[in-house]
Amino acid sequence: MAKTKGPKKFGLLAEYDTPGAIFKACEKVRDAGYRRWDSFTPFPVHNLDKAMGIKPSVLPWIVFACGMTGAACGMLLQWYTSTIVYPIVIAGKPLFSAQANVPVTFEVGILFASFGAVFGMLGLNKLPAFHHPLFKVPRFSRATDDRFFIAIEAIDPRYDLEKTKKLLEDTGAVKVEEVEE
Amino acid sequence: MSAHKKKVADLEDNQITVDPGSIWAKVWMVGIGLAILGFAIGFAGPSPFKEDDAIQAKLWTGYLNGFMFALSLGLGGLVFVIIQHLVRANWSVAVRRIAEHAMFTLPFVALGGIPLLLGPGHHVFEWMHTEHVLHDPMIKAKLAYLNHGSFKARFGLYLAIWSGLSIAFWNWSRKQDDAKSTEEAAEYAYKQRFLAPIGLIAFALSMTFGAFDFMMSLDPHWFSTMYGVYIFAGVALAIHSLLVVVIHFLQRGGMLKDVVTAEHFHDLGKFMFGFTVFWTYIGFSQYFLIWYANIPEETHWFMYRAHGQWLNLSYLVIFGRFVIPFFLLLRRGWKRNSNYLVWMAFWIIFMEFIDIFWLVQPPFAHHAASRAEEAGAMELAHHFHSYINVTAADVGFFVAFVGVFLTVFGYSLKSMKLVPIQDPRLEESLNHENF
């Protein structure tokens, strides 16, 4: 692939006018073997993730690990404070008992799991991002209204300006254009 | 947007009806066999005890145990159907008919409570012994509620509510299948939706007070305002698990294949998981407050469940009802695969029986131990305190009430289609998808 001169390219943006069209287009892009690409729709299109061939997210594992860590930390915190640093007998109960510590253990577990979910999601999506090249394209604002888009990034190993453009045009795109970085 | 949209009219007949030659059409006969066998073992089986008092008390405790287990499946069916109509659920229409079969067992299984209202009740309910109660200021204070006459009256009310609601929903659903027009079918859907909120309130009250009367009153000194909710959590777990088990095996038999999908199993699995956490929340809250307050009249209920083998049983309840299902129902893929989910469903139904065993059997052992202590037989008292006695009666009545349940369930199953074919929302349910 010959390097083109001028500004760095982000990739190709294809526009579709129905959910059915983008669904079939996604299947074709998936089958062509592209990896660094995404689709944009104004509303959730059922099973589009399958059409795009997206693998299950690792986020649940992050949440699970965070939740378990949180529960362990919550229990440890209570054990440490109530038996090592402030050993005070309250209501004749033992200094440390599993029962009394369940609510806080549970709460800290939930707190950490929620942190894992929110920050894990942001991290996996590479957010917050202050700018995205696609926002330069005026037509792209219709992705929140009535148009459907597929963007294939230039860093995809299979990306080739002519071939990729042809592929997108063959999928029935209304318009295909190159986007600058 | 899936590749094709399923239509109700395209459903093949062999998918939504039970083949008269298959084992499913004979479930009711199996049920009758189990019921006869179970009652024979229960009433005539050997007992390890010598005193007639202990033999009878143990026998009727086993009876109550089996009765409450079968009743909880029926109550689960009723509350499932009520809630689906109440919230106009779309997803559940394809699985609702199975819950309606479970619901229909209620009027029949509930009749099993009648012997406990009469003479045999004396063997399990301490408060029925008037001469005993008059010397006990704590039970005496509860006499206005806990007496034979009002127990009978309340049971009559429960029976009326449960039977009335079950038969009404069952009949309307059945008539809807034969509706001549879509307007007529919609009419039956409206009727069921209208009854749902009234039914839910009646169900909540009758189930709560029924649980108080039949199980909490086994230890009349003790009370917990969370008891009804605790029982409800078990009931809800049992019905969602029962639906998974029945539908999984119906699909193995070649039915409902394109009707109930991974999406429905996913939702049922989510409810199994959710109610597992709910049960834990309720069960722990009940325990935690009693543990913290440390008032003897409340703690003694847990004390006799924390000795010897009873303590092991308590651990089984904690691990079997919370720890195991919690971790094994977490993953999305595990909830969507019915080959896996059906094992969890079996386990949860088994644990529902164990939970009721844990609620019903320890008071018997506690009373037997107290009586032995009064008579000076310390060794026998120690035996009752520390060991769980599982007798032929426990097994027999479990089998018997499962048999009664299966008889009615199987009859209802073979007499109707497997899905409410004319329900206006069936098509949405067929095409239901989780995000």
Side-chain angles (χ1 to χ4, degrees):
Chain A
M1 190 175 90
K3 282 249 185 240
T4 42
K5 293 233 169 79
K8 226 175 135 204
K9 300 295 180 202
F10 170 75
L12 280 166
L13 181 70
E15 180 180 342
Y16 302 86
D17 50 7
T18 63
I22 195 174
F23 192 88
K24 294 213 170 62
C26 280
E27 286 177 333
K28 280 188 189 138
V29 177
R30 173 196 66 193
D31 294 341
Y34 288 94
R35 294 184 164 251
R36 302 295 305 260
W37 64 290
D38 207 349
S39 59
F40 307 89
T41 60
F43 51 82
V45 177
H46 268 309
N47 277 338
L48 196 63
D49 53 334
K50 279 178 205 152
M52 289 176 68
I54 297 177
K55 292 198 181 64
S57 164
V58 295
L59 190 61
W61 291 103
I62 296 174
V63 175
F64 181 71
C66 288
M68 290 295 119
T69 311
C73 288
M75 191 61 113
L76 203 66
L77 173 76
Q78 294 173 90
W79 169 81
Y80 179 67
T81 50
S82 60
T83 63
I84 309 285
V85 279
Y86 302 109
I88 301 167
V89 175
I90 298 162
K93 298 284 195 289
L95 285 179
F96 181 79
S97 52
Q99 294 96 324
N101 298 313
V102 165
V104 172
T105 304
F106 171 75
E107 296 293 351
V108 180
I110 296 296
L111 181 71
F112 275 46
S114 316
F115 282 157
V118 173
F119 295 114
M121 179 274 292
L122 291 178
L124 293 176
N125 285 329
K126 301 192 180 67
L127 288 173
F130 296 110
H131 176 69
H132 197 278
L134 288 177
F135 292 147
K136 278 187 204 159
V137 184
R139 287 180 306 121
F140 188 67
S141 61
R142 288 181 77 180
T144 60
D145 185 10
D146 61 349
R147 284 298 158 108
F148 307 82
F149 293 91
I150 288 179
I152 302 181
E153 294 178 35
I155 48 173
D156 190 289
R158 286 175 183 270
Y159 185 84
D160 178 289
L161 186 58
E162 293 312 314
K163 281 186 195 157
T164 308
K165 196 166 188 173
K166 175 127 193 358
L167 173 81
L168 286 171
E169 274 160 1
D170 287 349
T171 58
V174 183
K175 189 172 164 64
V176 180
E177 68 177 285
E178 200 174 17
V179 182
E180 285 176 2
E181 186 72 55
Chain B
M1 170 169 277
S2 50
H4 71 293
K5 203 163 161 71
K6 286 181 265 181
K7 293 254 181 342
V8 173
D10 295 341
L11 290 179
E12 282 168 43
D13 213 34
N14 65 1
Q15 286 292 305
I16 51 167
T17 42
V18 175
D19 175 14
S22 74
I23 180 78
W24 291 98
K26 300 188 184 77
V27 168
W28 67 280
M29 287 193 245
V30 177
I32 289 178
L34 286 178
I36 293 170
L37 180 77
F39 282 120
I41 297 174
F43 283 114
S47 179
F49 307 120
K50 288 175 195 75
E51 313 81 26
D52 192 50
D53 249 12
I55 294 172
Q56 290 296 320
K58 180 71 199 177
L59 189 149
W60 288 101
T61 304
Y63 182 92
L64 181 63
N65 200 164
F67 170 54
M68 279 293 138
F69 173 68
L71 195 68
S72 70
L73 297 176
L75 287 171
L78 178 61
V79 73
F80 184 89
V81 171
I82 289 178
I83 287 179
Q84 305 314 320
H85 284 300
L86 186 70
V87 303
R88 306 189 192 178
N90 285 332
W91 75 272
S92 62
V93 179
V95 302
R96 201 184 66 217
R97 183 52 59 79
I98 311 299
E100 285 168 1
H101 298 320
M103 167 184 81
F104 189 58
T105 65
L106 207 46
F108 303 91
V109 172
L111 295 176
I114 290 173
L116 294 166
L117 301 181
L118 310 172
H122 288 277
H123 297 296
V124 282
F125 297 117
E126 185 191 359
W127 53 265
M128 281 189 182
H129 296 260
T130 322
E131 72 295 343
H132 192 91
V133 170
L134 290 177
H135 297 112
D136 192 325
M138 279 177 65
I139 305 183
K140 216 171 148 185
K142 297 179 183 177
L143 264 184
Y145 182 90
L146 269 187
N147 64 70
H148 219 141
S150 69
F151 182 40
K152 281 181 187 163
R154 281 196 304 272
F155 181 76
L157 205 59
Y158 306 149
L159 199 62
I161 291 172
W162 295 340
S163 310
L165 289 176
S166 310
I167 293 171
F169 280 115
W170 189 79
N171 247 331
W172 283 333
S173 190
R174 188 185 171 85
K175 283 183 185 156
Q176 191 184 46
D177 276 6
D178 304 325
K180 303 228 166 28
S181 61
T182 47
E183 287 77 28
E184 196 190 343
E187 194 65 29
Y188 286 115
Y190 286 132
K191 277 183 183 170
Q192 298 188 62
R193 193 182 303 160
F194 178 78
L195 186 59
I198 305 160
L200 191 68
I201 295 167
F203 167 84
L205 291 173
S206 60
M207 195 216 63
T208 304
F209 284 98
F212 288 173
D213 286 348
F214 278 103
M215 286 194 278
M216 200 165 89
S217 80
L218 287 171
D219 189 337
H221 292 116
W222 185 80
F223 67 93
S224 160
T225 46
M226 297 190 95
Y227 201 85
V229 189
Y230 181 89
I231 299 299
F232 168 72
V235 159
L237 273 172
I239 186 63
H240 290 103
S241 305
L242 184 77
L243 293 185
V244 170
V245 169
V246 173
I247 293 168
H248 172 78
F249 285 102
L250 280 171
Q251 288 194 332
R252 289 274 292 268
M255 287 158 273
L256 295 177
K257 284 232 158 169
D258 208 24
V259 180
V260 180
T261 61
E263 307 291 338
H264 299 99
F265 281 115
H266 190 185
D267 279 348
L268 290 169
K270 282 188 264 184
F271 275 112
M272 284 157 66
F273 177 79
F275 278 109
T276 294
V277 178
F278 181 69
W279 176 89
T280 314
Y281 167 64
I282 296 301
F284 180 75
S285 300
Q286 178 175 288
Y287 171 78
F288 189 51
L289 295 186
I290 290 171
W291 177 84
Y292 230 116
N294 210 3
I295 301 168
E297 71 188 68
E298 290 177 345
T299 50
H300 85 276
W301 193 86
F302 283 106
M303 282 310 287
Y304 58 75
R305 286 170 171 82
H307 274 290
Q309 292 184 342
W310 295 109
L311 181 62
N312 297 344
L313 187 71
S314 301
Y315 281 128
L316 176 64
V317 171
I318 295 169
F319 279 87
R321 275 223 125 160
F322 170 59
V323 181
I324 295 172
F326 179 83
F327 286 103
L328 295 185
L329 284 172
L330 263 179
R331 284 200 65 195
R332 175 184 160 97
W334 290 343
K335 283 179 287 230
R336 293 176 71 86
N337 181 352
S338 76
N339 286 323
Y340 168 84
L341 193 64
V342 72
W343 290 106
M344 275 329 293
F346 263 127
W347 174 256
I348 288 175
I349 294 173
F350 168 71
M351 282 312 301
E352 170 69 6
F353 179 76
I354 294 293
D355 195 10
I356 288 172
F357 189 92
W358 183 79
L359 291 169
V360 165
Q361 299 276 359
F364 156 76
H366 178 60
H367 290 149
S370 315
R371 268 201 300 276
E373 248 167 46
E374 277 164 31
M378 299 315 281
E379 215 164 293
L380 189 63
H382 173 75
H383 173 82
F384 279 120
H385 268 310
S386 310
Y387 294 97
I388 301 172
N389 292 289
V390 179
T391 62
D394 295 332
V395 180
F397 288 120
F398 168 69
V399 172
F401 277 103
V402 168
V404 175
F405 177 87
L406 285 181
T407 307
V408 185
F409 185 87
Y411 169 76
S412 181
L413 185 73
K414 81 177 174 72
S415 65
M416 286 154 94
K417 289 210 161 50
L418 289 169
V419 286
I421 192 75
Q422 297 240 47
D423 191 294
R425 287 162 300 157
L426 179 60
E427 194 161 295
E428 291 207 46
S429 182
L430 293 180
N431 294 295
H432 166 64
E433 269 166 23
N434 288 291
F435 276 113

